[in-house]
Amino acid sequence: MPRWRARRCCGGGLGLPALVVLAAALAPPGAVAQGQPQAVSQPLADPPAAAQAAAEAAGVAEAARRTARSTAEWLARGVDSWFGDKPFTEGGKVTDGRLSVSLLKRQGESVDASVRFNARFRLPNLTERAYVLFGRDDQREIVSDTPEAFSRQQRLLKENTADRSFFAGVGLQWRDNVDFRLGFRGGIKPYMQGRYRRLWQVGPADLVEFRQTVFWSLADHVGSTTAISFEHALSPHLAARWLNAATLTERKRKFEWSSVLGLYRAFPEHRLLSLELPASGTQGSGVGASDYGVQLKWEQPTYRDWLLGEVVVGHFWPRPDRGAQRGRAWAVGAGLKLKF
């Protein structure tokens, strides 16, 4: 998302229906059922019953967040104990915790549902600049350090279930803009990364960000991902961004590229409307862009600032290879993201 956006705060949201979806996904069996209002003969529930249902659903969401955070802290304490006897309470914390649930559907394909989990830990028994990563995500995107805007989920592309796996790693922040990571994903499959990031404020309303990642894995051997974005604030509430990335590996020898040009309009209560033109392809494929399109996205807090809802609709023109004609397909998606 554009860097000019302020942090989200409480505001109106998609409302109780989205909250109930998350509650049903995370609550213990029977918890949500118990929170359902009793059937009544009136066509509409009376206000006290509706208020009680809303309060119970909110309680389930609060409990889900506490459970996610306590589980992450329990894991962090266990890992931290491997490195020394210093109590976790002396400087340990969980940061960037995120649990997301999403559904997407492209025309002509089946519905794709995914659950992603990511968290970052600061451990008191490691050095001040060290941290631990843990989660469940697309292993290919984790290893290559693909920008989130180019994930298959964000481009409304169906994911291969086999690519979703747990990962864990240790990182070391060497300088403010350089860090190194060593991790494992999909079982005992090691990978390494060296990452460099730099920001330039080239004008009062212009920002350039450059990111270079060199990685190694058993599947790709040595590879690199280069990403650069240009952002321009058109007004206090409207910005444009052009983001580009390319990944090259020793195994494939031909780089995969992605690009997205977007307009982002911020509204009160930290809601965001996005219009994006994404495209992606592979060098030497003979088809130019293997997939390009246009998508409209709406995002806003739901219930609290830590529970975000998103809906997106898009139209795409895919052409996987030279032997195929360029097709066209509508796509829709929806998701919830819980921060802890």
Side-chain angles (χ1 to χ4, degrees):
M1 287 171 284
R3 193 165 300 280
W4 53 271
R5 285 190 65 197
R7 294 185 64 87
R8 301 177 182 87
C9 70
C10 298
L14 297 178
L16 186 60
L19 188 61
V20 172
V21 172
L22 182 66
L26 297 178
V32 177
Q34 294 172 3
Q36 296 295 327
Q38 297 296 320
V40 293
S41 58
Q42 295 90 338
L44 294 177
D46 58 279
Q52 181 181 1
E56 290 175 349
V60 172
E62 294 275 6
R65 185 172 187 251
R66 288 194 299 269
T67 299
R69 186 165 189 86
S70 62
T71 301
E73 289 183 348
W74 170 80
L75 178 64
R77 291 173 188 273
V79 174
D80 186 51
S81 66
W82 300 346
F83 301 98
D85 299 324
K86 192 174 182 180
F88 184 77
T89 53
E90 296 183 15
K93 63 179 179 178
V94 177
T95 61
D96 301 327
R98 184 183 65 181
L99 173 64
S100 62
V101 181
S102 65
L103 293 171
L104 66 88
K105 173 75 167 68
R106 271 212 184 194
Q107 189 177 352
E109 298 180 359
S110 60
V111 175
D112 184 43
S114 66
V115 178
R116 298 187 178 206
F117 170 82
N118 293 275
R120 181 166 167 164
F121 311 138
R122 287 288 182 184
L123 306 182
N125 283 301
L126 289 178
T127 66
E128 193 173 294
R129 290 182 172 270
Y131 57 90
V132 170
L133 297 169
F134 176 79
R136 182 182 186 273
D137 214 323
D138 187 293
Q139 57 182 325
R140 168 68 176 163
E141 294 170 2
I142 289 295
V143 171
S144 62
D145 199 23
T146 302
E148 185 179 2
F150 296 138
S151 68
R152 296 184 66 85
Q153 179 183 358
Q154 291 295 317
R155 293 185 292 149
L156 296 179
L157 288 169
K158 188 174 182 178
E159 295 180 284
N160 186 346
T161 305
D163 289 337
R164 301 173 192 155
S165 66
F166 286 95
F167 68 90
V170 178
L172 179 64
Q173 193 78 38
W174 184 42
R175 294 182 179 178
D176 291 340
N177 54 0
V178 177
D179 66 323
F180 301 94
R181 292 177 176 179
L182 171 64
F184 295 89
R185 47 89 181 179
I188 312 300
K189 298 178 182 177
Y191 71 92
M192 293 185 294
Q193 292 175 337
R195 310 193 313 161
Y196 172 79
R197 178 171 166 267
R198 180 74 183 272
L199 294 170
W200 291 276
Q201 189 76 45
V202 295
D206 298 287
L207 180 70
V208 176
E209 179 178 357
F210 173 80
R211 194 172 82 186
Q212 179 68 54
T213 300
V214 177
F215 61 88
W216 174 89
S217 69
L218 291 173
D220 297 314
H221 291 180
V222 178
S224 70
T225 296
T226 304
I228 186 168
S229 71
F230 306 90
E231 296 181 20
H232 176 70
L234 300 169
S235 76
H237 307 290
L238 181 66
R241 182 186 68 173
W242 185 25
L243 173 63
N244 299 275
T247 298
L248 178 68
T249 67
E250 187 178 356
R251 279 286 179 87
K252 288 191 175 181
R253 300 286 183 178
K254 293 183 179 180
F255 63 83
E256 299 175 351
W257 61 270
S258 299
S259 180
V260 59
L261 181 63
L263 282 174
Y264 305 89
R265 174 66 165 88
F267 291 89
E269 298 180 336
H270 300 275
R271 297 167 293 170
L272 182 70
L273 179 66
S274 308
L275 177 64
E276 297 179 325
L277 303 175
S280 59
T282 302
Q283 177 192 15
S285 64
V287 299
S290 59
D291 188 69
Y292 65 85
V294 56
Q295 61 185 31
L296 188 67
K297 186 184 306 180
W298 177 256
E299 183 185 75
Q300 68 179 59
T302 70
Y303 174 60
R304 294 285 180 89
D305 61 336
W306 44 261
L307 185 61
L308 309 176
E310 177 184 273
V311 291
V312 56
V313 59
H315 192 72
F316 298 88
W317 290 266
R319 188 184 179 189
D321 52 57
R322 290 185 188 179
Q325 295 293 321
R326 190 167 295 279
R328 53 192 306 169
W330 287 96
V332 294
L336 281 174
K337 184 188 299 180
L338 185 150
K339 294 184 176 182
F340 58 89

